[in-house]
Amino acid sequence: MAKHKGRGWHSRLLAAGLGVTALAAATSVWTAQADPAGGRQPQARVSGDARPVAKVAADIAHASDQGARGVNITIDDGPDPVWTPQVLRLLKDNGVKATFCMVGTQAKAYPGLVKDVVAAGHRLCNHTVSHDTAMDTKSEAYQSQQILDAERMITEASGGVRPQYYRAPGGAFTPYSRHLAASRGMRPLGWNVDTKDFEHPGADTMVATVKSEIANGPTVLFHDAGGERSQTLAALREVLPWLKQEGYSFGFPVR
């Protein structure tokens, strides 16, 4: 998976998120133990949350729970007060459920939108505290803070609904981050079709990308934050009906 570079909004978000992460680090607890093969298998809990968490597979998911003709619509980087409500309305109009990969600081800032996403029947995904696309070059302690603190922020903002997936910013997964997320019940989540909507290529180009690449796999990447998203909305308005006409059904990534 190609990393997304050159996104100024995320640079500003990272600067803000680093302060949040430093403050929240004391409330997150994580441990790691060696597995028989010598790798590190993290086992984590979030301080003050005693509810049991069922572990999930640590490999990166791409498949749909709707089978071979399923499609997973994933929406990244929000919630955003301008664009998320419009995306929610569009999904509702088309009868589509999606997976929203939320940045922790955004979830904390707009808890009402997180609750709206959950109330509409969509699923939550942890997209870290500050969307650092260089996470795979950072220490395990840093990765833990980014994942666990975002989990806490999203869960609190939602009113207690946990994220079911973890998507590394820009695809910057590591074996450690994947196992840590899985130990918290968050399946690592990849993508098969990148619309590159953050580059504003035009709605027609984004639609063409989906139509030409959906045969490669079911998980499609869009964004509802990080910039102006009118092209994303225009592309979704065309893509969602087309996928239905082609016999696809909408589901969630496998867990």
Side-chain angles (χ1 to χ4, degrees):
M1 287 177 285
K3 290 190 178 182
H4 298 163
K5 300 291 187 181
R7 299 163 71 176
W9 175 80
H10 290 125
S11 297
R12 296 191 295 274
L13 186 61
L14 176 58
L18 286 173
V20 173
T21 299
L23 289 173
T27 67
S28 296
V29 180
W30 58 92
T31 61
Q33 62 182 21
D35 67 10
R40 292 177 65 80
Q41 295 286 340
Q43 295 180 339
R45 64 180 174 85
V46 175
S47 221
D49 188 349
R51 290 173 296 175
V53 178
K55 295 181 180 181
V56 294
D59 58 310
I60 299 173
H62 295 88
S64 173
D65 63 6
Q66 294 298 302
R69 297 294 288 179
V71 172
N72 307 320
I73 300 297
T74 63
I75 312 290
D76 282 21
D77 296 1
D80 179 272
V82 173
W83 303 108
T84 301
Q86 296 183 66
V87 171
L88 286 173
R89 284 195 295 271
L90 195 156
L91 293 172
K92 181 179 180 180
D93 290 345
N94 286 273
V96 174
K97 304 301 181 187
T99 301
F100 283 76
C101 301
M102 295 187 174
V103 173
T105 50
Q106 293 293 107
K108 184 175 181 179
Y110 305 107
L113 291 176
V114 182
K115 292 180 177 68
D116 289 345
V117 167
V118 172
H122 306 293
R123 289 188 181 178
L124 301 177
C125 172
N126 180 336
H127 206 31
T128 73
V129 171
S130 54
H131 202 284
D132 182 359
T133 58
M135 265 188 63
D136 53 348
T137 68
K138 306 293 179 63
S139 69
E140 290 178 356
Y142 177 85
Q143 294 175 55
S144 296
Q145 290 172 0
Q146 284 283 312
I147 294 168
L148 298 183
D149 291 347
E151 179 194 5
R152 174 181 53 78
M153 290 175 181
I154 294 167
T155 302
E156 290 178 354
S158 71
V161 178
R162 296 176 182 274
Q164 297 189 44
Y165 307 93
Y166 164 65
R167 174 172 275 168
F173 289 101
T174 66
Y176 180 83
S177 68
R178 289 191 293 103
H179 284 285
L180 174 60
S183 77
R184 294 294 303 164
M186 296 178 288
R187 180 73 183 268
L189 176 58
W191 64 81
N192 306 103
V193 182
D194 185 354
T195 63
K196 299 188 185 299
D197 56 347
F198 61 91
E199 294 180 353
H200 302 101
D204 290 344
T205 297
M206 292 157 59
V207 171
T209 296
V210 174
K211 290 182 176 181
S212 65
E213 296 184 12
I214 193 63
N216 298 336
T219 303
V220 186
L221 174 60
F222 289 97
H223 295 79
D224 64 342
E228 206 270 353
R229 293 288 166 243
S230 60
Q231 290 185 9
T232 298
L233 291 167
L236 282 168
R237 287 191 190 98
E238 184 172 345
V239 161
L240 298 181
W242 178 83
L243 288 167
K244 288 183 180 181
Q245 292 168 8
E246 293 297 307
Y248 289 97
S249 57
F250 296 95
F252 296 110
V254 296
R255 296 186 74 248

